[in-house]
């Protein structure tokens, strides 16, 4: 029945308004007109009964129709609408928001800016306002956003494995606090991961003041704080070393992978590559000597590299230190050491007094660290290239004392904050047994992992993007950790948990952080400065250097006495447990991006392997990728062997972090567990292992099978002297240019080029790139690139738009066997791989101006735009894959399956396998809404982050208004890879602007095009790598080995007349025969 | 017609110029009709069922495999990065190549007045059509999104997007579809008089109706014959360039790219020669046993076999020359990438594929220089199969070996097919043989009217020609 409007009360007094004279007169016609819904003449269904009847019939038929549709399965997808209940101030729908925050690590923190879209964080960037940085990050920071949306996170509070309501859990904490208060913390042990949060330190101090009998232990399986401990020991006060690779001219690394797996590698990479960048031949660059057992990223950058077992680094360091003039050192047996190498290295160090730096790796014992500091001290590096900044005292790994306390029954209540000791504890500690000695185990954990079943209470830990907090970088800068999203699954931050545990009145982490800010900074105007702190994400900058501190000679002598260790041999192998480049200590095992990120050296994904040298494998009779059993100290693990070029002999490299039993759906049982073999005393390497082959083959998914460049000038490099003598050397490596003939079809881009404001291009400096792979993950995060799983990677179907090609080069005279004609498996049996040089090349779509992919696509799915981008139209692509076949760089990636829709183990089941809806919903949140999620059957590739280009152009247009200045100024935006690169090796910009950074780089002498002879004019060009070897060294090569390989096959590039366009081709305009075109 | 005494003594012909007749044993015209039409009539022999049932099961396998591939994704095949094309395109080119013999025999040999073609042209044309059907499946379903295949056709649409006319795949669409259409028309044209024979002989109502409809009211009148001959000639003229164009265009799929090993100007003639080579190989493979099983020795004579062996030998030698020339040009180009690509064929990880190809395609057919080999049906049968094995490996060499190792060594890989690849390929054989067996059960597999035209007695100058033998019935 029609609802009549409520009668409008007539005003009792005052003016009377009327709409018409009819109203004034209150005629019946007017009354009717008011009540009628439709004007005169329109028919109206006045009968209420009929109307209801109609509705009833209609709803019945709609119901039936709905049933029919539902029954046939033809329905619109369910969509849930989540509108803002309260509209946030200043929020513009569709425009991303950026917040400064920081990612805490065990020894420091990374200052970050995180992009959030509609309230969900989707992309992590480095904070480029931070005074000591360039906006670069590392792979872990880039990938940590995926951990936020991990469907296997701990999502509930459990007691004895049963879910309990949140309030009950919190009440339990309150009760526990009361109980502990009564006994002044006796029997309480807290096991935490090392951290740098000032608030946590403050809460810890509060706790220890209130409950002096409570124990606080910190556990880091990798013990990355050894740098701080060593520096503190050597210089007699708590200091943190800051390695200024940017100032050093000569760097010696003693098994220190400072570019790869040391903490703060992104800072080291930035500083190191700063010292390696050069513009003109006259510029000087630094020189890097590396002594190491494994082949690491740092070793890949070395100008001289000495392969030594980790146990012999100490002896070599001693020789080096004596040659550098460090006094009072013991004699050392020099057997097996390459003395000439060490002496020349020492001479070079001495020659660069004050501008050299010796660094020791975290796997090395304290003695080596102290020796390094002694050398730095003797060489005048302290205060120059080695800056010491005041720091909190670092703790040692406290798991062993805690286990002892547990066994002795001193611990009644064990509280674990974050750590996963059941998985990461050394094997001989028998930690699970020790943990069960505690009456009550309460844990705050990120996942229901290996430690979970042995806990009585388990609380979900909040991600750092969900929680308020603070942190310090390793060199003392104070950073804010700001949440971007409410905890997705009710996670509790460490600060809140600690506060509740000690029954604090204020448990809100926000308030705790503010209290700390007040205490640390003592600001004059609190609110104002607090806002600044949050806005910038940091306060102040890194701590100032303490200058030239004096060395504690006695401490050095004491530490160094224990430096010599037994040598490994074929029947007593040395095992090195190393931090995994992707999974860290195992904490990222459930992160698909990191699992699928190829190790930058081995290029293995989804697995770890027993790395060994060619000679070791030969002597042990082990084939590559054969399953082997390693036995050490009565314990045995089984893993696939991997013959790694450039490794020290009789050394086995075991990456930690794999073989997890309870890691979640991605990381469960990936690889083998190296912890199961790890002794407590010498957790980083041990001599005395034996290896037995099982004869069984194990399939490893490696993304790059072929090692050698085969003498092709794809990566061009020269020694510094050669570059000085032949500044045009890159051009000399060009193939004969094709004859210049008029094109049959004029390229429409040539016309557009003159009109368009922007022409996008990229320059990649191979001298700066160290291969850290932060760009690969950044690209994956920015562009919604799916993971495909081990089986698909094995088939060569990984989807990375950007990859890092890694090649090994050996002395050509040793590569006589024409191994290239055999299958790749033969590489492992070749002797030249013993000593190799490594080169890296980031490879992504080159955006050719005359792109070969475009004219072969039958459906116009890949086309060129007027700004020089090779654009991929997913909607139009039918998937003939011809474009990929015709791409000489093979940078196009094909969706062989519905990688987004299907579970990784159900790809072959087609429509019969679907990911659970809640998993899909969660994974959806991490997607960048500006980038299409591709379906199966579609080709995809790097777009130069076209979404960022368009956003920058639109922003510029909005800003320009009527002025017409719509050209995007250089440096206002960049691609995801360039932004993430800590080395600044990737520069993107407008090549139409001659003053842009990229244009200036492309004018450098080192600029070259890969496969230039195809005449496809790529927009991405590379700057050749320059090595800086020391001619006095015994392993000096006159030319880089890749260049030597080229020379062996194609002739001396520096001989007169060589090269296509160098001296001869262009000058005379001679038409050389078209090569390969 | 004048009744008279016919001299039974043949005019003297020098022995060395004497050709064996195209139909042996002076078979009468009636015998020819009865015998050929008889294959398509009556109960199917046991061997037919023995061949048909497995073929049909394999055809069902094809359907299952295609359904699996389309519903799940191209990933079920072995294609990967960098070998984005694998068995799909190998098999496409292979089947298309096989499809070349039929039209060559029916069109080019017709224009060249090669009278021996009549005994084999019908079956060869049918083989062509079925081979092109098998081939056509691959490009249609090998794409990632089959349901958007229509993007390849120039259909006007509201977005104003046309196909990319510079893409050889686009040309393929036109070339293959035109070839298929013209081949079917040509084949059907040739069938009309024989369909009328089938109609006239039909004993059941259904057959009468179906053949009657298909025969288009053919009565064999003079005017009909005149029109028929003209139309046949025109279609032969139209088909002739198609024989050369289809495989030339298929070869451009490779030649237009810039991949070492693909980027070669020799490809069009070399592909056409290879296609005819493989087509004749397949015709021999089919007809040598069929000749025996259907008792067609008098119609498909040893002379026919001999001639086809010679064509195989000639085209095989052309193919061998092309292989040698590819190597020469790779060396002569001076490009290290080209040189590498070709050395990698012969010495690389797939060396066995290359040498198998050389043995099957170049070495083995040289045996056909010997008459004794050409006369030995067992040898001919085995060699014809080896020819097709070799031609399959030729496409494997071109596609897989070129792609698996090209410019950047970081991209090098090793391609392996999956069981789905293998089963799909087997399935296409199922389709091919199912169609062929059905064809021979329902249609005259030899052009009855044409064969009658080449019987010795059809020649007016032949002692038996120009007149009916005494007491003989109608032909």
């Amino acid at each position: 029945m029609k609802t009549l409007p409520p009668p409008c009360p007539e005003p009792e007094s005052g003016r009377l308004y009327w709409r018409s004279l009819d109203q004034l007169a209150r005629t019946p016609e007017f009354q009717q007109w008011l009540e009628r819904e439709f004007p005169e003449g329109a028919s109206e269904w006045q009968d209420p009964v009929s109307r209801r009847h109609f509705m009833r019939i209609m709803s019945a038929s709609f119901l039936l129709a709905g049933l029919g549709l539902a029954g046939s399965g033809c329905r619109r997808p369910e969509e849930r609408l989540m509108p803002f209940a309260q509209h946030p101030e200043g929020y513009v729908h569709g425009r991303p928001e950026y917040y400064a925050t920081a990612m805490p690590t065990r020894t420091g923190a990374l200052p970050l800016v995180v992009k959030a879209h509609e309230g969900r964080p989707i992309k992590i960037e480095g904070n480029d306002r931070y005074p000591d940085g360039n906006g670069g990050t590392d792979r872990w920071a880039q990938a940590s956003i995926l951990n936020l949306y991990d469907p296997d996170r701990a999502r509930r509070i459990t007691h004895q494995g049963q879910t309990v309501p949140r309030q009950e859990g919190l009440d339990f904490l309150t009760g526990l606090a009361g109980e502990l208060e009564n006994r002044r913390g006796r029997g309480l042990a807290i096991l935490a991961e090392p951290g740098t949060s000032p608030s946590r330190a403050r809460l810890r101090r509060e706790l220890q003041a209130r409950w002096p009998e409570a124990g606080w232990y910190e556990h880091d399986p990798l013990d990355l704080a050894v740098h701080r401990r060593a520096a503190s020991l050597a210089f007699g006060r708590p200091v943190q070393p800051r390695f200024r690779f940017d100032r050093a001219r000569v760097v010696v690394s003693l098994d220190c992978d400072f570019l790869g797996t040391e903490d703060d590698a992104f800072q080291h990479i930035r500083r190191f590559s700063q010292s390696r960048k050069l513009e003109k031949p006259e510029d000087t660059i630094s020189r890097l000597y590396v002594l190491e057992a494994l082949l690491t990223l740092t070793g890949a950058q070395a100008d001289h590299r000495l392969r030594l077992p980790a146990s012999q680094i100490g002896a070599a360091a001693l020789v080096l230190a004596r040659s550098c003039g460090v006094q009072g050192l013991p004699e050392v047996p020099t057997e097996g050491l390459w003395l000439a190498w060490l002496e020349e290295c020492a001479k070079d160090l001495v020659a660069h007094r004050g501008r050299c730096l010796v660094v020791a790796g975290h796997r090395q014992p304290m003695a080596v660290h102290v020796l390094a500091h002694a050398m730095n001290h003797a060489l005048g590096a302290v205060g120059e290239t080695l800056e010491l900044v005041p720091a909190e005292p670092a703790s040692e790994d406290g798991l062993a004392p805690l286990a002892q306390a547990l066994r002795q029954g001193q611990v009644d209540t064990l509280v674990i904050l974050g750590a996963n000791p059941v998985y990461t504890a050394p094997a001989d500690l028998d930690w699970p047994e020790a943990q069960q000695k505690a009456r009550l185990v309460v844990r705050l954990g990120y996942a229901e992992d290996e430690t979970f079943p042995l806990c009585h209470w388990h609380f979900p830990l909040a991600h750092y993007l969900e929680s308020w907090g603070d942190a310090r970088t390793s060199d003392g800068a104070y950073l804010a950790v700001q949440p971007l999203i409410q905890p997705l699954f009710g996670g509790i931050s460490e600060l809140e948990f600690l506060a509740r545990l000690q029954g604090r009145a204020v448990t809100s982490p926000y308030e705790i952080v503010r209290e700390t800010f007040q205490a640390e900074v003592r600001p004059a105007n609190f609110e104002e400065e607090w806002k600044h702190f949050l806005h910038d994400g940091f306060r102040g900058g890194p701590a100032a250097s303490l200058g030239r501190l004096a060395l504690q000679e006695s401490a050095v002598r004491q530490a160094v006495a224990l430096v010599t260790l037994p040598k490994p041999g074929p029947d007593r192998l040395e095992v090195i447990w190393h931090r995994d480049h992707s999974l860290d200590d195992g904490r990222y095992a459930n992160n698909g991006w990191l699992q699928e990120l190829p190790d930058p050296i081995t290029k293995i994904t989804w697995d770890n392997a027993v790395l060994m040298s060619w000679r070791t494998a030969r002597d042990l009779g082990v084939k590559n990728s054969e399953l082997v059993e390693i036995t050490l100290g009565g314990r045995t693990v089984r893993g696939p062997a991997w013959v790694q070029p450039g490794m020290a002999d009789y050394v086995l490299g075991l990456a930690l972090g794999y073989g997890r039993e309870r890691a979640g759906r991605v990381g469960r049982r990936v690889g083998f567990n190296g912890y199961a073999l790890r002794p407590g005393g010498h957790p980083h390497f041990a001599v005395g292992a034996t290896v037995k082959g099982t004869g069984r083959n194990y399939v490893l998914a490696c993304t790059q099978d072929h090692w050698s460049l085969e003498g092709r000038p794809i990566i061009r490099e020269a020694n510094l002297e050669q570059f000085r003598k032949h500044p045009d050397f890159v051009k000399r490596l060009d193939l004969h240019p094709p004859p210049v003939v008029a094109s049959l079809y004029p390229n429409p881009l040539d016309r557009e080029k003159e009109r368009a404001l922007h022409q996008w291009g990229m320059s990649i400096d191979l001298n700066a790139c160290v291969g850290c792979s932060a760009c690969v993950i950044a690209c994956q995060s920015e562009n919604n690139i799916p993971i495909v799983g081990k089986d698909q990677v094995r088939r060569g179907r990984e989807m990375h738009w950007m990859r890092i090609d890694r090649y090994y080069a050996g002395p050509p005279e040793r590569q006589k066997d024409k191994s290239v004609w055999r299958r790749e498996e033969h590489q492992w049996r070749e002797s030249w791989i013993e000593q190799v040089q490594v080169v890296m090349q980031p490879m992504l779509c080159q955006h050719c101006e005359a792109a070969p992919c475009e004219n072969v696509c039958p459906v116009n799915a890949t086309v060129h735009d007027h700004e020089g981008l090779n654009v991929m139209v997913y909607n139009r692509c039918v998937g003939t894959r011809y474009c990929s076949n015709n791409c000489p760089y093979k940078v196009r990636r094909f969706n062989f399956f519905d990688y987004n829709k299907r579970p990784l183990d159900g790809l072959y089941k087609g429509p019969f396998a679907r990911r659970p809806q809640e998993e899909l919903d969660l994974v959806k949140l991490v997607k960048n809404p500006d980038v299409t999620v591709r379906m199966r059957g579609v080709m995809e590739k790097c777009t130069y982050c076209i979404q960022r280009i368009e956003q920058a152009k639109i922003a510029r247009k909005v800003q320009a208004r009527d002025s017409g200045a719509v050209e995007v100024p250089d440096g206002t935006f960049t691609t995801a890879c360039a932004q993430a690169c800590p080395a600044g090796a990737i520069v993107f910009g407008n090549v139409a602007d001659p003053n842009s950074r990229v244009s200036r780089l492309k004018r450098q002498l080192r600029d070259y095009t890969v496969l230039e002879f195809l005449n496809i004019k790529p927009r991405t060009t590379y700057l050749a790598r320059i090595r800086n070897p020391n001619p006095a060294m015994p392993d000096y090569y006159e030319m880089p080995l890749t260049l030597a390989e080229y020379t062996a096959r194609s002739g001396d590039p520096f001989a007169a007349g060589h090269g296509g366009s160098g001296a001869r081709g262009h000058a005379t305009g001679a038409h050389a025969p078209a090569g390969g075109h | 017609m004048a009744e008279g005494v016919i001299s039974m003594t043949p005019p003297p012909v020098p022995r060395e110029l004497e050709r064996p007749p195209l139909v042996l044993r002076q078979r009468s015209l009636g015998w020819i009709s009865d015998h050929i039409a008889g294959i398509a009539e009556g109960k199917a022999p046991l061997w037919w069922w023995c061949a048909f049932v497995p073929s049909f099961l394999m055809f069902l396998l094809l359907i299952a495999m295609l359904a699996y591939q389309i519903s799940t994704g191209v990933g079920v095949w072995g294609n990967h990065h960098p070998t984005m094309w694998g068995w799909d395109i190998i098999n496409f080119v292979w089947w298309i190549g096989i499809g070349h013999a039929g039209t060559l025999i029916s069109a080019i040999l017709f224009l060249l007045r090669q009278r021996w073609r009549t005994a084999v042209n019908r079956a060869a044309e049918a083989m062509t059509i079925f081979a092109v059907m098998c081939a056509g499946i691959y490009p249609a379903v090998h794409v990632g999104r089959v349901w958007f295949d229509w993007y390849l056709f120039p259909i006007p649409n509201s977005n104003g997007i046309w196909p990319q006319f510079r893409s050889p795949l686009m040309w393929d669409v036109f070339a293959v579809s035109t070839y298929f259409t013209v081949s079917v028309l040509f084949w059907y044209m040739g069938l009309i008089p024989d369909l009328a024979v089938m109609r006239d002989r039909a004993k059941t109502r259904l057959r009468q109706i179906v053949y009657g409809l298909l025969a288009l009211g053919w009565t064999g009148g003079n005017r009909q014959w005149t029109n028929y001959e003209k139309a046949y000639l025109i279609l032969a003229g139209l088909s002739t360039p198609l024989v050369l164009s289809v495989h030339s265009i298929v070869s451009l799929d490779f030649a237009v790219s810039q991949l070492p090993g693909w980027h070669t100007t020799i490809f069009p003639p070399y592909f056409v020669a290879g296609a005819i080579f493989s087509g004749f190989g397949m015709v021999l493979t089919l007809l040598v046993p069929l000749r025996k099983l259907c008792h067609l020795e008098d119609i498909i004579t040893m002379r026919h076999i001999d001639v086809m062996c010679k064509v195989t030998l000639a085209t095989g030698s052309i193919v061998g020359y092309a292989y040698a020339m590819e190597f020469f040009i790779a060396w002569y180009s001076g490009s290290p990438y080209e040189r590498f690509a070709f050395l990698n064929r012969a010495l690389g990880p797939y060396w066995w594929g290359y040498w198998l190809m050389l043995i099957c395609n170049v070495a083995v057919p040289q045996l056909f220089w010997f008459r004794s080999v050409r006369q030995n049906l067992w040898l001919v049968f085995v060699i014809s199969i080896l020819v097709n094995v070799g031609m399959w490996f030729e496409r494997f060499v071109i596609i897989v070996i070129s792609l698996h190792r090209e410019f950047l060594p970081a991209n090098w890989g090793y391609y392996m097919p999956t069981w789905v690849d293998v089963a799909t390929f087997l399935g296409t054989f199922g389709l091919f043989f199912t169609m062929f067996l059905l064809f021979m059960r329902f249609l005259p597999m030899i052009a009855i009217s044409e064969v009658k035209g080449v019987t010795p007695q059809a020649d007016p100058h032949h002692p038996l020609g120009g007149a009916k033998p005494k007491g003989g019935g109608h032909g």
Side-chain angles (χ1 to χ4, degrees), chain A residues 9-294:
Chain A
E10 294 286 328
E12 310 255 308
S13 61
R15 286 186 190 168
L16 185 72
Y17 294 95
W18 65 91
R19 281 191 261 187
S20 65
L21 289 171
D22 279 346
Q23 184 182 16
L24 189 66
R26 293 172 187 250
T27 60
E29 286 86 351
F30 180 76
Q31 280 302 323
Q32 201 198 348
W33 179 80
L34 260 186
E35 283 165 24
R36 269 192 76 110
E37 191 174 341
F38 300 106
E40 200 74 36
S43 60
E44 214 171 330
W45 205 330
Q46 292 283 12
D47 180 8
V49 183
S50 314
R51 225 160 81 142
R52 303 191 122 217
H53 187 63
F54 173 73
M55 288 303 291
R56 209 157 49 214
I57 289 174
M58 281 315 286
S59 47
S61 22
F62 274 121
L63 189 71
L64 282 173
L67 275 178
L69 285 173
S72 63
C74 184
R75 298 180 64 169
R76 299 184 124 221
E78 247 179 70
E79 282 176 5
R80 265 154 274 173
L81 194 65
M82 280 177 272
F84 282 118
Q86 284 169 328
H87 192 84
E89 200 183 338
Y91 175 81
V92 180
H93 189 76
R95 186 191 287 170
E97 291 168 309
Y98 296 84
Y99 291 96
T101 183
M103 172 169 145
T105 64
R106 277 159 285 174
T107 64
L110 282 84
L112 302 176
V113 172
V114 180
K115 175 181 174 184
H117 223 288
E118 286 161 20
R120 55 192 171 89
I122 57 162
K123 180 76 178 68
I124 290 175
E125 307 288 7
N127 187 346
D128 53 1
R129 283 176 181 238
Y130 180 68
D132 192 31
N134 60 356
T137 44
D138 64 17
R139 59 215 172 270
W140 290 319
Q142 288 293 339
S144 64
I145 199 147
L146 194 61
N147 279 15
L148 173 65
Y149 302 109
D150 184 352
D152 300 317
R153 282 179 65 175
R155 303 178 176 202
R156 52 184 189 155
I157 298 175
T158 63
H159 179 222
Q160 309 283 18
Q162 301 299 314
T163 312
V164 296
R166 185 180 169 84
Q167 195 49 48
E168 198 181 320
L170 299 182
D171 290 346
F172 159 75
L173 280 182
T174 317
L176 182 64
E179 197 187 309
L180 287 167
E181 181 69 42
N182 289 341
R183 45 180 220 245
R184 291 177 45 78
R186 185 163 39 79
L188 171 67
I190 296 179
L191 176 66
E193 292 192 300
T196 59
S197 160
S199 290
R200 196 182 90 169
R202 196 167 61 84
L203 290 183
R204 176 187 165 185
R205 282 195 299 273
E206 261 178 36
L207 182 137
Q208 282 175 327
R210 266 176 69 192
W211 301 337
E213 289 179 52
W216 180 281
Y217 303 86
E218 289 189 352
H219 168 51
D220 174 10
L222 299 166
D223 200 16
L224 296 161
V226 66
H227 291 286
R228 181 175 296 186
R229 280 208 312 279
S232 308
L233 179 70
F235 297 101
R237 56 184 286 190
V239 284
Q240 166 75 25
R242 183 162 62 206
F243 304 126
R244 297 302 302 260
F245 297 105
D246 49 337
R247 291 187 192 157
R249 294 290 94 188
V250 173
V251 177
V252 175
S253 153
L254 301 169
D255 203 13
C256 179
D257 183 17
F258 60 87
L259 300 175
T261 51
E262 293 286 347
D263 251 7
D264 286 332
F266 77 108
Q267 292 283 28
H268 301 326
I269 293 171
R270 176 174 62 86
R271 297 197 176 114
F272 177 72
S273 60
Q274 223 167 307
S275 77
R276 299 287 282 193
K277 281 186 187 165
L278 77 171
E279 284 177 20
K280 307 177 290 297
E282 306 85 67
D283 294 350
T284 55
I285 57 172
S286 67
R287 179 175 294 152
L288 175 62
Y289 296 87
V290 176
L291 294 82
E292 62 178 8
L294 307 166

